[in-house]
Amino acid sequence: MFVARSIAADHRDLIHDVSFDFHGRRMATCSSDQSVKVWDKSENGDWHCTASWKTHSGSVWRVTWAHPEFGQVLASCSFDRTAAVWEEIVGESNDKLRGQSHWVKRTTLVDSRTSVTDVKFAPKHMGLMLATCSADGVVRIYEAPDVMNLSQWSLQHEISCKLSCSCISWNPSSSRAHSPMIAVGSDDNSPNILAKVQIYEYNENTRKYAKAEALMTVTDPVHDIAFAPNLGRSFHILAVATKDVRIFTLKPLRKEVTSSGGLTKFEIHIVAQFDNHNSQVWRVSWNITGTVLASSGDDGCVRLWKANYMDNWKCTGILKGNGSPVNGSSQQGIFNASLGSANTSLQNSLNGSSASRKQS
Amino acid sequence: EADSDGAPSILVPGAVPRRQLCFAWGPAEVLVCETLFGRAGTGEGAPSTSRVFVVRRDQDIYIQTLRKLFNESHGIFMGLQRSEEELAGKSRKAQLVQVSKNYRSVIRACMEDMHQAAISTRDPALQGQYSTQVSILSAMELIWNLCEILFVEAAAAGPLLLRLLDWVRLHVCDVDSMVREVLSSENPSKHKLFWNVVDIFVLQGRMDEARHLLSKEASANPTSMNMYKILDDLMKKMPVPSLGNTQTLTELELKWQHWHEECQRYLQDGTFASNPHMESICKILLGDEDAILEKKELMTTWYHFLVTRLLYSHPTVKPMELRFYAQSSMDLFLGGESSPEPLDMILMAAFEFEMHQVIKECSIVLSNWWFVAHLTDLLDHCKLLQSHNLYFGSNMREFLLLEYASGLFSHHSLWQLGVDYFDHCPQYGRVYLELHIERIPLSTEQKALKVLRICEQRQMHEQVRSICKIMAMKALRNNRLGSALSWSIRAKDAAFATLISDRFLKDYCERGCFSDLDLIDNLGPSMLLSDRLTFLGKYREFHRLYGEKRFPEAARLLLTLMTAHIAPCSFWMTLLTDALPLLEQKEVIFSAEQTYELMRCLEDLTAGNPDKQKFQDDDVETTKVEMLRLALARNLARVIVKEGTVEGS
């Protein structure tokens, strides 16, 4: 059984992204109305908007939370060619009573000459670091060396991907065996068969990011990309949202020792490919254990993918709107997954109502 | 409705169908929001029926009611993990059977609670849900019981039939009310359902009860006395397997054969011809399939039919022979009129000893992992899922336990049970625990401490550090410096401790007093975490000594703070200023040597200071320095005199 609470978001234009904070008690939304809203979950489960403010001078494409070790910090990116970092200021007691909080801009990152399409914080073990990618094909990695001073960010790396970028994903693995790694997806749709997914790895010797791999089999525009959390595996899992859903494994082979220092080579396998959306897939994202992948497409469905204990992937659920109005009074609507209806059939079996005897 | 690829649909009410959806995962929920991909907004204040949906598994109903199930089965699970593996053979098996019975009794207790809840609620929707849960629990117990008989106890031919009879009697209860009705009526043998009840008893092998009822009929109907006596005798003499080792299977089969022939003779002689009811009973005793099938309505299920068939045609059935009888029983009973339901398939898989199939089907049909996780774990302990049986055997156990435990983590208190389950998953348990436990909202200090204890017990150092850091950061943002410092110390985060100590010192400089004195006074060895922290602790100690008028000790400490470079240079001016009152006491406190040291410190400070300009231009600073120089000089003068005069100081 699944329950859905509906929250009237009150943005004045299309919402482009929603993001949960680390503990799932706060969320942020961003919109073409150029603002970001932050919502807090109260003890009884209701959501309240505690902040709403104009963040950019263009559509805001993505909003993302930093790890709570760094405090309450958000990053946003926009059509206005900038990305920004925001910090929540603990306000006066009046604000607290009114349930409002203030967010201040700590920095604006203005290096991009085109729309900034994605912004993602690096895994916390790398410090306070984030990456942006733009339609100009450049991935930029910024760092705040002093975590107590969020106004100082320095551009550490500029990676030229040569194709317009739409999405990035940091490899969350904090294992010493893995160097920092970032995957970049491109939505370039000029006719070519260039690889639309590139993997960059940090080289300890040159202190630079270098291209480690390109997924040659992905030649259609890529809209989203996501590394799965690493469960202590030696290999990496990467999901790609393109004309279908694809899941790749990347197994590091022994590092090649060249004059520029070790660069990992990978053995790449595709472990799943699903075209059930029957249309462009726009988002992919992993749950916290990396056991379920969710994907969303033009068909208006969110599909959940899971591997069983034999490593076979299949669809285990589909979220879609049913159009019926939500009960006005409570924030709840209760409905059955067909797992629930299977329970009914179990119940029927017990009552012997269909398989065993005729209805009298 | 299911999608064409067979996956279940989860409908989000209020969300317009076919609207594109963006989403985000949370630890326990998924956010879903209507959007349009690849497009900017209209830019002109478009509609915002823009709504965000927070979707999660509905734990509320079944958590409340199944909570007891989860808690008590957790205890049984833990007991099983820790149980004596040295016990072998029969004692081990007996132990495992007991565990299985314990699980079943917890299921039944839960069923009872839910049944009570169903009849006591006035809300029809709730009542419906409770009733559904009762049915599901009942199905679970039915399946578990059969698995216990076939797999855990692995009943052999003979006792197998007796166990199956018990199983049927316990679980096919549709007839109970009818039985009660007849038995409690004034004249049972005249009740219209009398023969139905006798038949039921016979079908379930409840010979004594059948005979008892028949005797009532006989006394009411003396003309059939003869028939009755013969039937009664046959029923009394029917050979059945016994639980003790009083007879071998061969002996039983022989006896049974003779008895069977005797029944046959009476039937063929037409002994019961005048009483169709009794004749039908005799046919049942002879295992006549058609006669038994006529009583379909009374048996209600094919598995009842199966057991009745076995009782009257093959009581010494061997476990491995069950599959053939089961399949044919189901076919005969359903008679092509209806198709098997999921429950039927699960039971069939059990009769076929296809354990894996049982678990797989249950996983699909049941909406929570509790059942398959615990049952599989038990079967694994019975060593039935060893690698040579299934190459993913123990992987399957772990897979299911991980699923179950992960589900518990979305609940605000049951997550603690989940911790124990992860502990017993050797391959991925630890990493799953790490990932889940760091997401638990640390809404109160108590909760944070509870989570920390669990991490510390398991040497999950990174999680300890991270949780402490998060708490320290939260405290710092809310200006609760003492709390922030405590958490940094616990995190062993030297850098953060330094930062907070600096804040304390800054606060002191601005306000002239310390906050959180208790904490700083009682730092103990944790003071050594960072130099700045050590300084903070020692500086406070200086103030305490001063307050207790232990001036010589205070003076010594103050000096050490500078000479041993415990104090940061930025603080030296403050320290020297703190020395002023000591220098101006009536009694001389600083010795000559100490005074020279102080002078040297002052000179170091003013000379080596890159902000020389600052000292020269800032009047306040210049005045301070001059006052210090004067005080030091005066002290030196006094102390030289003192030390020159007093002997042996």
Side-chain angles (χ1 to χ4, degrees), chain A residues 1 3 5 7 11 13 15 32 69 124 148 276 285 291 296 298 306 318 320 323-324 335 349-350 355-356, chain B residues 5 10-12 14-15 20-21 25 35 41 43 48 52 54 56 58 135 300 334 341 403 432 465-466 499:
Chain A
M1 293 257 291
V3 184
R5 282 194 135 96
I7 302 160
H11 274 288
D13 206 328
I15 296 178
S32 268
E69 272 188 40
K124 70 169 156 60
M148 296 311 296
N276 305 58
S285 173
T291 46
S296 158
D298 270 340
K306 193 176 162 67
I318 307 171
K320 53 177 134 175
S324 60
F335 58 101
S349 301
L350 260 186
S356 1
Chain B
D5 47 12
I10 300 153
L11 300 171
V12 184
Q20 291 164 7
L21 303 167
W25 285 100
T35 185
S48 269
V52 177
V54 184
R56 62 184 169 83
D58 179 19
S135 305
T300 71
L334 298 185
E341 294 279 299
E403 289 290 335
Y432 266 66
R465 188 207 60 77
S466 184
L499 198 141

Side-chain angles (χ1 to χ4, degrees), chain A residues 301-313:
Chain A
C301 293
V302 175
R303 283 182 162 73
L304 305 174
W305 311 94
K306 193 176 162 67
N308 66 5
Y309 46 80
M310 290 176 71
D311 274 333
N312 292 329
W313 288 88

Side-chain angles (χ1 to χ4, degrees), chain B residues 3 60 91 104 136 169 187 207 221 350 376 380 537 563 614:
Chain B
D3 194 71
D60 290 347
S91 0
R104 285 197 295 120
I136 294 169
R169 287 172 195 159
N187 216 340
M207 291 313 190
N221 243 334
T376 307
D380 190 57
T563 56
K614 172 187 172 191

Side-chain angles (χ1 to χ4, degrees), chain A residues 70-117:
Chain A
F70 302 113
Q72 296 297 305
V73 178
L74 280 173
S76 59
C77 68
S78 163
F79 180 75
D80 73 358
R81 306 194 298 274
T82 71
V85 178
W86 310 87
E87 187 177 16
E88 188 183 36
I89 296 299
V90 177
E92 304 297 308
S93 48
N94 285 343
D95 290 333
K96 280 219 183 90
L97 285 171
R98 282 188 299 122
Q100 289 300 300
S101 67
H102 291 288
W103 290 75
V104 301
K105 183 189 284 204
R106 287 305 186 203
T107 193
T108 313
L109 305 171
V110 300
D111 304 274
S112 174
R113 279 183 291 282
T114 55
S115 173
V116 183
T117 49

Side-chain angles (χ1 to χ4, degrees), chain B residues 43-299:
Chain B
E44 24 170 271
S48 269
T49 46
S50 60
R51 268 169 314 175
V52 177
F53 299 92
V54 184
V55 182
R56 62 184 169 83
R57 305 215 81 166
D58 179 19
Q59 313 260 55
D60 290 347
I61 291 297
Y62 82 62
I63 286 275
Q64 259 168 46
T65 45
L66 294 187
R67 193 187 186 125
K68 198 161 137 188
L69 179 73
F70 293 163
N71 271 306
E72 300 200 356
S73 59
H74 165 261
I76 300 171
F77 173 83
M78 293 300 281
L80 178 58
Q81 309 311 304
R82 294 185 198 131
S83 67
E84 287 302 305
E85 293 241 7
E86 286 101 58
L87 290 180
K90 280 212 175 106
S91 0
R92 177 65 174 162
K93 184 189 271 202
Q95 195 179 44
L96 292 168
V97 170
Q98 188 55 50
V99 168
S100 181
K101 285 181 162 36
N102 290 343
Y103 275 125
R104 285 197 295 120
S105 102
V106 167
I107 297 175
R108 279 199 303 274
C110 196
M111 261 170 70
E112 185 50 45
D113 286 346
M114 226 174 293
H115 178 67
Q116 288 305 318
I119 59 182
S120 60
T121 183
R122 296 228 191 94
D123 178 351
L126 263 186
Q127 193 172 57
Q129 274 172 350
Y130 285 136
S131 300
T132 310
Q133 284 301 324
V134 171
S135 305
I136 294 169
L137 284 169
S138 183
M140 293 192 331
E141 212 256 312
L142 175 75
I143 299 165
W144 192 301
N145 199 344
L146 184 60
C147 291
E148 181 183 302
I149 295 168
L150 299 176
F151 308 142
V152 184
E153 193 182 346
L160 176 59
L161 180 70
L162 295 177
R163 292 281 185 250
L164 288 175
L165 274 173
D166 281 338
W167 178 66
V168 160
R169 287 172 195 159
L170 192 58
H171 290 271
V172 183
C173 322
D174 283 16
V175 297
D176 284 356
S177 51
M178 184 180 4
V179 169
R180 268 195 302 273
E181 203 186 302
V182 169
L183 289 180
S184 55
S185 73
E186 263 192 44
N187 216 340
S189 55
K190 293 288 176 253
H191 197 295
K192 65 173 161 79
L193 298 174
F194 171 79
W195 284 107
N196 281 353
V197 176
V198 177
D199 286 339
I200 283 166
F201 287 149
V202 172
L203 291 167
Q204 293 189 356
R206 291 151 80 172
M207 291 313 190
D208 291 342
E209 290 165 85
R211 289 171 55 214
H212 178 73
L213 264 189
L214 272 179
S215 71
K216 293 210 189 310
E217 153 74 2
S219 39
N221 243 334
T223 48
S224 46
M225 183 58 76
N226 221 22
M227 246 191 303
Y228 157 72
K229 277 209 181 109
I230 295 170
L231 188 58
D232 182 71
D233 190 53
L234 286 176
M235 286 166 73
K236 189 165 83 176
K237 285 195 313 200
M238 179 170 125
V240 282
S242 64
L243 282 174
N245 286 331
T246 50
Q247 60 179 353
T248 64
L249 280 182
T250 328
E251 281 173 11
L252 174 63
E253 274 167 12
L254 208 56
K255 278 196 201 154
W256 192 84
Q257 200 55 44
H258 286 152
W259 173 84
H260 190 92
E261 283 161 8
E262 194 181 339
C263 294
Q264 190 73 36
R265 274 198 301 278
Y266 280 116
L267 184 69
Q268 280 166 354
D269 284 349
T271 317
F272 306 104
S274 60
N275 188 324
H277 291 297
M278 292 208 198
E279 190 173 61
S280 147
I281 290 174
C282 186
K283 284 188 181 165
I284 290 172
L285 292 180
L286 284 167
D288 182 322
E289 273 171 17
D290 294 327
I292 302 175
L293 267 177
E294 263 176 46
K295 312 294 175 183
K296 220 167 144 174
E297 303 282 313
L298 296 176
M299 290 185 291

